[in-house]
Amino acid sequence: MSKQIKPGSTIGIIGGGQLGRMMAFSAKERGYRIAVLDPTPDCPTAQVADWHIEAAYDDLEALKELAERSDVLTYEFENVDAQTIERVLEKVAIAIPQGTELLLITQNRLNEKEFLKKAGISIASYAKIETEADLTEGLKTLGYPAVLKTIRGGYDGKGQVVLRSQSDIEEALDLLGKGTCVLEEWVSFDKEISIMVARNETGDVVTLPVSENIHQDNILLESIVPARVSEDTSKEAERMAKTIAEKMQLVGILGVELFLTESGKIYANELAPRPHNSGHYSIEACTESQFDLHIRAICGYPLPEVELLKPAVMINILGEHFDQALELNNTQPSWHVHDYGKIGVKVGRKMGHVTILTDNIEETLHAIDETKIWN
Ligand code: AMP
């Protein structure tokens, strides 16, 4: 086993958004220092870091500088180029415990699907699409509706087209013009749920409680924890997440997005090799947050079993909610309002989130409605 990264050491984070910022909070509590690489001045992580290297994620020299300043490296999003990281690692003797294999799998939808299939995890049927003929053939096999997704770089519903009929083909072909795609069978799910799983190098594997996720315009709006699903469903989600973590030899935290159908079948939709928006509730609601688990895992410490202290609802603050949501600090003093410190409020941009601990989920959902911020 590689050596433990002790408090006082520096954790280098590639990517300076809100996930890096919340990782940094957890790391700071434990006595670590933080270096961050991100092109944006005053980005959310830079505001709480010890060093900020202001450069692009694929800037080899900047990555090398980050590695030289750090005792361990981590990333807060999956679209860092695995090959660039490998080239840097050849030059500096530093660990990136999550590894680059995890990136190679999760930054390419086809690799991810092949991995999941091999791991015995149920996924929607799919076809690789490179040409118009592939698309025609794929639609013949999978039928309408179907979803065409770029294999790289898509998030929050970007880089995908839902095909409901022949009339959507043109839009789909535009997307195909951007590169190889994957066509997925439509899953008419009853609920979208997700589960966070963490693993360390010695093989401790723990999960967080299953979250029920409500999306609006493809962006996560609300997470309800525990998910309003049967115990069997929760157990199955946990089993799937642990299998994925073990087959991947995961080190760090990973989010598993799932579709649950009315008949109780669970399909894996997507993997996120990092903390995930639907796990933010764990900061207040659990004995260990997703960020705590990630920091413990990459620094080589044992992982404790996690307990839910109280049910919770987490709701995202997008640009259009921002001013009103900050007022909740006055009107709802027991709600935990997180502000990511982003400069520039834009519609659709994740500016923060609110976590509400509650003994009555339905009442809390009603109280959220009553604020009229998210309606
Ligand atoms: P993704 O970027 O793959 O997470 O997809 C974004 C959203 O689109 C998901 O959260 C679902 O609501 C929807 N979606 C994606 N793939 C499918 C599918 N195969 N069937 C039904 N809905 C889907």
Side-chain angles (χ1 to χ4, degrees):
M1 191 194 136
S2 54
K3 68 176 174 55
Q4 274 187 335
I5 309 295
K6 305 275 187 207
S9 309
T10 299
I11 299 175
I13 307 177
I14 303 168
Q18 63 266 24
L19 301 178
R21 178 181 174 103
M22 290 183 271
M23 264 185 213
F25 287 149
S26 174
K28 287 258 165 198
E29 190 182 313
R30 291 164 171 75
Y32 294 99
R33 288 177 179 271
I34 298 292
V36 60
L37 170 69
D38 192 284
T40 313
D42 208 25
C43 62
T45 314
Q47 292 169 20
V48 300
D50 298 272
W51 296 284
H52 178 197
I53 299 164
E54 227 178 274
Y57 313 116
D58 58 356
D59 179 329
L60 213 61
E61 278 312 303
L63 263 168
K64 199 164 146 258
E65 190 189 337
L66 180 76
E68 280 163 355
R69 273 188 191 249
S70 308
D71 298 288
V72 66
L73 282 185
T74 184
Y75 40 82
E76 59 126 41
F77 72 148
E78 58 272 41
N79 291 322
V80 264
D81 185 62
Q83 269 113 28
T84 311
I85 293 188
E86 272 165 12
R87 271 165 50 209
V88 170
L89 294 183
E90 279 163 19
K91 295 198 184 104
V92 287
I94 182 176
I96 178 154
Q98 286 153 288
T100 48
E101 180 68 21
L102 181 63
L103 281 177
L104 291 171
I105 295 172
T106 55
Q107 67 190 197
N108 179 313
R109 283 192 196 266
L110 267 174
N111 292 350
E112 189 170 289
K113 286 181 187 301
E114 274 155 28
F115 164 81
L116 288 167
K117 231 163 77 175
K118 243 188 173 161
I121 305 292
S122 299
I123 52 171
S125 302
Y126 69 96
K128 179 179 176 182
I129 308 293
E130 283 178 313
T131 62
E132 189 171 348
D134 291 344
L135 183 62
T136 311
E137 194 55 36
L139 283 167
K140 235 190 253 165
T141 318
L142 300 173
Y144 289 103
V147 195
L148 188 72
K149 301 178 179 177
T150 52
I151 60 167
R152 281 180 164 272
Y155 68 96
D156 286 346
K158 291 186 179 73
Q160 51 182 278
V161 171
V162 178
L163 289 120
R164 297 185 190 280
S165 68
Q166 188 92 27
S167 63
D168 296 316
I169 295 266
E170 201 127 317
E171 201 188 337
L173 288 175
D174 281 349
L175 187 67
L176 191 55
K178 295 188 178 130
T180 306
C181 287
V182 57
L183 185 70
E184 278 178 33
E185 150 199 39
W186 185 257
V187 180
S188 60
F189 54 79
D190 181 37
K191 282 196 160 105
E192 292 192 72
I193 57 176
S194 60
I195 181 164
M196 302 304 305
V197 59
R199 183 181 175 279
N200 66 8
E201 223 174 277
T202 40
D204 295 347
V205 186
V206 299
T207 53
L208 290 181
V210 178
S211 157
E212 174 181 339
N213 303 321
I214 294 155
H215 293 83
Q216 209 169 60
D217 301 326
N218 277 320
I219 301 177
L220 180 70
L221 178 69
E222 212 164 44
S223 288
I224 297 166
V225 187
R228 295 167 296 180
V229 297
S230 70
E231 206 177 313
D232 282 354
T233 296
S234 293
K235 286 224 170 85
E236 176 58 8
E238 199 179 300
R239 187 200 63 77
M240 287 165 88
K242 286 185 170 173
T243 304
I244 291 168
E246 268 151 18
K247 298 257 174 184
M248 259 183 180
Q249 294 287 289
L250 175 73
V251 176
I253 193 129
L254 172 110
V256 184
E257 295 178 15
L258 303 160
F259 294 141
L260 173 65
T261 69
E262 211 153 356
S263 65
K265 192 160 170 44
I266 307 179
Y267 295 91
N269 171 37
E270 213 175 17
L271 305 178
R274 50 167 171 80
H276 189 262
N277 196 167
S278 68
H280 291 353
Y281 76 88
S282 59
I283 296 174
E284 287 91 5
C286 292
T287 46
E288 293 280 317
S289 77
Q290 60 171 344
F291 303 101
D292 300 333
L293 292 174
H294 183 69
I295 297 298
R296 289 191 73 87
I298 63 165
C299 292
Y301 284 87
L303 302 180
E305 289 297 328
V306 181
E307 278 174 48
L308 185 68
L309 296 167
K310 209 163 178 167
V313 178
M314 189 275 332
I315 184 154
N316 268 338
I317 302 174
L318 304 182
E320 57 271 38
H321 312 130
F322 190 58
D323 290 340
Q324 279 178 288
L326 288 190
E327 253 317 285
L328 293 170
N329 283 315
N330 283 317
T331 55
Q332 297 286 356
S334 67
W335 293 11
H336 300 268
V337 180
H338 294 243
D339 177 348
Y340 304 148
K342 287 186 185 174
I343 316 295
V345 184
K346 279 189 221 140
V347 172
R349 187 173 197 206
K350 290 178 182 171
M351 303 300 296
H353 70 267
V354 183
T355 299
I356 307 163
L357 301 182
T358 176
D359 287 317
N360 188 325
I361 295 273
E362 300 307 322
E363 257 174 32
T364 298
L365 293 175
H366 182 68
I368 291 171
D369 271 353
E370 291 280 281
T371 67
K372 306 217 180 324
I373 300 173
W374 288 275
N375 305 358

